[in-house]
Amino acid sequence: LCSQATGQAAKSARRVVVAGIPDGLLHDDVMADILMIHFQMSKNNGGDVEEVMYPTEEKGVAYVTFEDPEVVESVLRKDEHRLEDKRLSRCYPLRVTRYCENVFSCVTSVLNMSVFKDQFVLEDLIQEIKKKSTALSFGPLQPNGHVSVQGSFPAIKLLRDFLLLKASSLSEEDKREESKSHQRPRRRLQQHRLTTQTRNFVRGADGDKEVVVLDKDVYDYMKHFDPEMSLLKDDVVISAFTDGDVTTVCIENAGSSSGAGQVLRVKEKIESCSLKLHDMLRKERISFEEQSWAAKQKYKSVCEGLKPRYPFVLVVACDTHIDVIGDSSDVFQFTKEV
């Protein structure tokens, strides 16, 4: 895991984000070839290109990775990049910025595995989980059955789903055994508690309540910029509770005839949207902890003045810093101007 992370970090240092690419004019492979030629030319301060990622999830945006990290600095120093090629009807101005790693990539959770102790050897269960969750890093198993796990939000959510499925399968097994025999009361009692905890966590007892756990920044961005979030409130009641970097969203039926079905659909929509944003969003922090009060106000004023030019950037002002959240290109350009 460490070597993979190091390799990915090294690759990120050799990558730039290119925005302003004319979308739909040429075949994607042709456009990628034009971009490679542009960034290999000396007149564009370029150099050897390792790869061009185009298209990406962001329309008109490509990721260009160079073989030498020094070329990144050279390319960024060029005042203006203009994409020119005989296959294009005209030249197109490009916006080139440094690539930023996804900052919503590392959260820590503590698993209470003690609920499984009557059914499994916990050490063996942890080993099974590790094989299924290679993107996560696990701490040592504690005597009380707790184990810390660290990784991306989506990876931890997948782990949660796996454990809930494991708990559900045990519940079904116990039901079958209960119909045949009453020889294992302790296990049934333990599993009944586990099943109750699982049901309460995933869904309300009446089926009209669902819970989604999200990264706080992802939820804030979704709430500000996803118009569907406001439309959803006509059929359901959405409440949110934030604890540190985590926001827990509760979706409940607002009394409509669609009932539990609509609640579940809204939950799935929120989860799908959050995963897309998790892959797309980046965050830069402008720190001014040691600045004077007047300087902090100036920073905040500048950010407010730039907002109209960056309609899809979320600016979160705090006492010691300002967080800028959006796609890579906008975030870097915004912080550069600030």
Side-chain angles (χ1 to χ4, degrees):
L1 285 175
C2 288
S3 62
Q4 288 176 354
T6 301
Q8 186 62 37
K11 193 168 187 177
S12 300
R14 296 184 281 112
R15 181 175 292 168
V16 296
V17 182
V18 183
I21 300 167
D23 186 65
L25 292 184
L26 301 171
H27 192 277
D28 292 338
D29 290 342
V30 175
M31 185 60 71
D33 181 59
I34 292 174
L35 288 167
M36 179 172 285
I37 293 172
H38 174 90
F39 286 102
Q40 285 181 331
M41 297 178 70
S42 57
K43 73 173 187 177
N44 296 321
N45 294 358
D48 292 335
V49 174
E50 179 179 306
E51 69 172 343
V52 174
M53 294 175 60
Y54 183 83
T56 62
E57 291 186 356
E58 302 169 55
K59 186 176 180 180
V61 172
Y63 298 144
V64 178
T65 305
F66 297 97
E67 294 184 2
D68 186 347
E70 292 185 4
V71 179
V72 171
E73 306 304 324
S74 176
V75 164
L76 292 175
R77 283 196 297 269
K78 184 173 174 60
D79 293 333
E80 184 180 33
H81 282 272
R82 299 174 66 84
L83 192 63
E84 299 177 273
D85 190 275
K86 62 183 180 181
R87 290 165 285 187
L88 295 172
S89 59
R90 63 180 180 88
C91 64
Y92 292 86
L94 299 176
R95 191 168 66 190
V96 183
T97 54
R98 196 183 306 276
Y99 179 80
C100 172
E101 273 296 337
N102 190 329
V103 297
F104 312 113
S105 59
C106 191
V107 292
T108 300
S109 181
V110 176
L111 302 179
N112 180 8
M113 304 299 294
S114 64
V115 294
F116 291 104
K117 67 182 180 181
D118 289 344
Q119 292 81 25
F120 298 101
V121 176
L122 293 187
E123 289 80 1
D124 294 342
L125 180 57
I126 294 295
Q127 289 303 316
E128 179 187 356
I129 292 172
K130 286 182 178 180
K131 290 179 181 179
K132 291 182 176 292
S133 308
T134 55
L136 296 173
S137 175
F138 292 81
L141 180 64
Q142 302 298 319
N144 61 359
H146 290 190
V147 59
S148 65
V149 57
Q150 188 176 66
S152 72
F153 228 89
I156 287 182
K157 289 177 72 174
L158 286 174
L159 173 59
R160 186 201 70 169
D161 293 342
F162 168 75
L163 290 175
L164 292 176
L165 183 63
K166 177 75 73 175
S168 177
S169 66
L170 287 174
S171 176
E172 292 301 319
E173 181 183 339
D174 274 353
K175 287 179 181 178
R176 289 193 297 269
E177 291 181 3
E178 187 173 2
S179 66
K180 298 178 181 179
S181 171
H182 297 279
Q183 295 177 357
R184 300 177 64 184
R186 183 182 177 190
R187 175 170 176 173
R188 286 197 300 273
L189 178 62
Q190 171 71 21
Q191 187 55 48
H192 173 74
R193 183 166 67 250
L194 172 62
T195 306
T196 303
Q197 291 170 345
T198 301
R199 183 175 66 246
N200 288 342
F201 182 75
V202 179
R203 175 175 303 183
D206 56 1
D208 289 344
K209 179 179 178 181
E210 294 283 349
V211 172
V212 186
V213 181
L214 304 173
D215 181 284
K216 174 185 178 298
D217 293 319
V218 169
Y219 176 72
D220 287 345
Y221 193 92
M222 185 191 308
K223 185 172 62 176
H224 278 80
F225 294 112
D226 188 351
E228 291 189 357
M229 282 293 290
S230 59
L231 297 176
L232 295 175
K233 293 181 181 179
D234 294 336
D235 297 321
V236 298
V237 176
I238 298 178
S239 56
F241 170 74
T242 297
D243 182 14
D245 294 329
V246 174
T247 295
T248 301
V249 182
C250 180
I251 309 117
E252 298 181 83
N253 183 24
S256 65
S257 58
S258 53
Q262 176 65 2
V263 171
L264 184 58
R265 283 191 292 272
V266 171
K267 175 196 175 186
E268 292 172 349
K269 187 179 289 290
I270 291 175
E271 287 182 326
S272 175
C273 181
S274 70
L275 288 175
K276 291 178 182 177
L277 289 177
H278 184 281
D279 292 335
M280 182 270 289
L281 292 177
R282 304 292 184 268
K283 178 169 71 174
E284 278 288 304
R285 175 161 292 181
I286 302 172
S287 181
F288 46 57
E289 191 169 0
E290 298 181 2
Q291 299 282 347
S292 66
W293 181 86
K296 292 179 181 180
Q297 294 303 115
K298 187 173 183 180
Y299 270 107
K300 293 177 181 179
S301 176
V302 169
C303 287
E304 286 296 321
L306 287 174
K307 275 185 181 180
R309 292 170 50 195
Y310 296 89
F312 296 106
V313 166
L314 175 63
V315 179
V316 182
C318 303
D319 292 337
T320 59
H321 62 270
I322 295 175
D323 285 335
V324 183
I325 305 169
D327 68 59
S328 287
S329 180
D330 281 351
V331 164
F332 271 111
Q333 197 66 23
F334 187 98
T335 52
K336 182 179 178 181
E337 291 196 39
V338 171

